[in-house]
Amino acid sequence: MSSAADPSQAGSRRFLLDLGSLGAANVLGKLLWAISLAMAMRLLGAQAYGELVVIWSVAALLAPQTDLGFSQLLLREGAREREFIPPLLRRALLARAVLGIAVVAALAVGAGTTSFTALPPLIVALAAAGPLVDAVFLTATPLAQAEGRLRLYCFWRVASFALMPLLLLAAWTLGAGVAGVAGGWVAASVFGLAGFFIGRGRPPGLMPARSLPWRPTLARSLPFLLMGTAALSYGKLEVVVLGTVADPSQAALYHAAYQVLLLVFSASDIFFAALFAGLYRAHAAPDRLGLVWPQISRVLAALAALAFPVLWWHGESLMRLIGGEDFALAGSVLRGLLPMILLLPLGAALNFLTLLDRPGWRAALDFACVLATAMAALFFAARL
């Protein structure tokens, strides 16, 4: 009797440890990232910061596509059968390297033809490299979920965030400007990724890698490619629109306000990052997946109800505290975005489309939401 209960108890303990690690990593990571952005805002000012975040946003819109969807396919298949992990990991990393270099080169070459920045091509390339290098964490995350190494991942993710303010402080001291901020993100991401993959080593008990033909595997990964592209486009396409149609300083205000919104929405990521691998093993059974939703939805609804009034009344003071007087106007932008917080449980529910093996449906819904907000930004750009 006790031996039969042991696996369940071990699984519950592991989930709680993973959930606690993800929660702590999320809080620390977001705090350190907010500190880094606040330092960058004060170091660069609204205009230069706006130019930088437009480049970041363009690169970040392209970053999810560089793995061709192999990373999320790794999570789904690797959580069910571990022999899928090595071949899918190799393909994800190879695709990120080749396509990432191509994206950086294209943005650097095309920088001279754009109106949102006067930065030299080498600085543009360095700025574009930040989101693309950091996107490798989007491969490390499903790898850690599939292998049960979330605590190792969380440690090195936080370590990379912790290094960023130190590098920005050095850039501030040296007067390195945009190059210092952009290079700091690249260096911090490389540090965290190297630590995770070196610490991971060769997982014990890993089955021999299964041979996977490229073309059928790529066909299976494409829905995940679309899903990842859509889900990670929130807040980025609008910044690009504002930076090109209006002014980089307007893009800076929107980007700063949206980071606060993302901090609230990241709460749902904690639950699902800890649960995803286990829920994938339910093999898309709705009845088994439905058992966990009521508890999660109640927590997220309570979070939305608490966050909305606080951010509504103190938005301007918060943005001034984060970015200085140049970013006080971002408080009104934040108020305009706050109704999205009330949709937090609905947004989190989209994760179940992924778990039900319907990534294409989720991609379509996310694309519709992103395009709607981008069109709103385009409509209001002339009135800002």
Side-chain angles (χ1 to χ4, degrees):
M1 188 80 172
S2 61
S3 61
D6 286 343
S8 175
Q9 292 174 356
S12 299
R13 181 176 179 274
R14 183 177 192 171
F15 167 71
L16 290 174
L17 288 173
D18 286 345
L19 185 62
S21 299
L22 286 164
N26 183 71
V27 171
L28 287 173
K30 294 295 184 182
L31 176 62
L32 292 166
W33 178 241
I35 291 172
S36 299
L37 289 180
M39 293 175 67
M41 293 174 200
R42 293 171 180 270
L43 174 63
L44 300 178
Q47 184 71 22
Y49 181 78
E51 293 183 25
L52 177 60
V53 298
V54 170
I55 298 170
W56 277 355
S57 297
V58 173
L61 282 171
L62 298 172
Q65 303 166 31
T66 58
D67 78 333
L68 302 177
F70 288 132
S71 298
Q72 284 299 316
L73 185 63
L74 181 156
L75 173 56
R76 188 184 75 176
E77 302 301 334
R80 295 170 177 173
E81 298 183 57
R82 291 171 64 86
E83 61 265 31
F84 283 113
I85 294 176
L88 289 172
L89 176 61
R90 285 195 296 269
R91 291 176 192 191
L93 295 177
L94 177 62
R96 285 205 184 277
V98 173
L99 296 178
I101 292 172
V103 168
V104 169
L107 291 178
V109 171
T113 63
T114 58
S115 59
F116 63 85
T117 182
L119 295 172
L122 286 178
I123 302 299
V124 172
L126 184 62
L132 291 161
V133 173
D134 196 70
V136 182
F137 279 109
L138 299 177
T139 298
T141 304
L143 174 64
Q145 290 171 298
E147 292 183 345
R149 291 174 171 263
L150 280 171
R151 278 161 277 167
L152 176 69
Y153 167 83
C154 289
F155 174 83
W156 285 106
R157 188 58 168 147
V158 171
S160 70
F161 281 127
L163 182 61
M164 184 70 178
L166 300 177
L167 295 174
L168 289 183
L169 182 61
W172 201 329
T173 303
L174 297 173
V178 173
V181 175
W185 190 5
V186 174
S189 297
V190 169
F191 172 75
L193 288 167
F196 170 73
F197 280 102
I198 292 172
R200 168 182 172 262
R202 179 176 175 81
L206 189 64
M207 301 290 291
R210 180 174 294 191
S211 177
L212 295 176
W214 267 90
R215 185 172 296 178
T217 306
L218 183 60
R220 291 163 61 199
S221 71
L222 284 179
F224 292 100
L225 169 63
L226 295 173
M227 183 190 75
T229 301
L232 294 171
S233 296
Y234 288 102
K236 300 178 179 66
L237 186 58
E238 304 97 286
V239 169
V240 175
V241 168
L242 290 171
T244 53
V245 175
D247 182 80
S249 62
Q250 302 293 346
L253 297 178
Y254 188 94
H255 182 272
Y258 206 92
Q259 301 311 301
V260 177
L261 197 72
L262 287 178
L263 180 62
V264 179
F265 268 83
S266 66
S268 65
D269 297 338
I270 299 174
F271 288 100
F272 284 100
L275 287 168
F276 248 124
L279 293 178
Y280 262 133
R281 296 184 187 106
H283 292 274
D287 55 337
R288 294 177 63 185
L289 296 174
L291 293 175
V292 300
W293 175 240
Q295 295 88 345
I296 294 175
S297 62
R298 283 194 290 267
V299 170
L300 296 180
L303 176 64
L306 289 172
F308 186 93
V310 172
L311 293 178
W312 180 269
W313 289 111
H314 301 288
E316 186 172 301
S317 300
L318 177 62
M319 298 314 303
R320 182 183 287 110
L321 176 65
I322 292 173
E325 197 61 41
D326 279 357
F327 287 85
L329 289 175
S332 60
V333 180
L334 178 59
R335 288 195 188 96
L337 295 172
L338 281 181
M340 296 174 67
I341 287 182
L342 301 179
L343 301 177
L344 179 60
L346 182 61
L350 292 178
N351 285 292
F352 280 84
L353 289 175
T354 308
L355 293 163
L356 292 168
D357 289 339
R358 296 292 187 272
W361 289 16
R362 174 173 180 176
L365 290 171
D366 278 326
F367 271 127
C369 293
V370 170
L371 289 176
T373 53
M375 290 175 65
L378 180 62
F379 177 77
F380 288 110
R383 296 164 174 78
L384 288 173

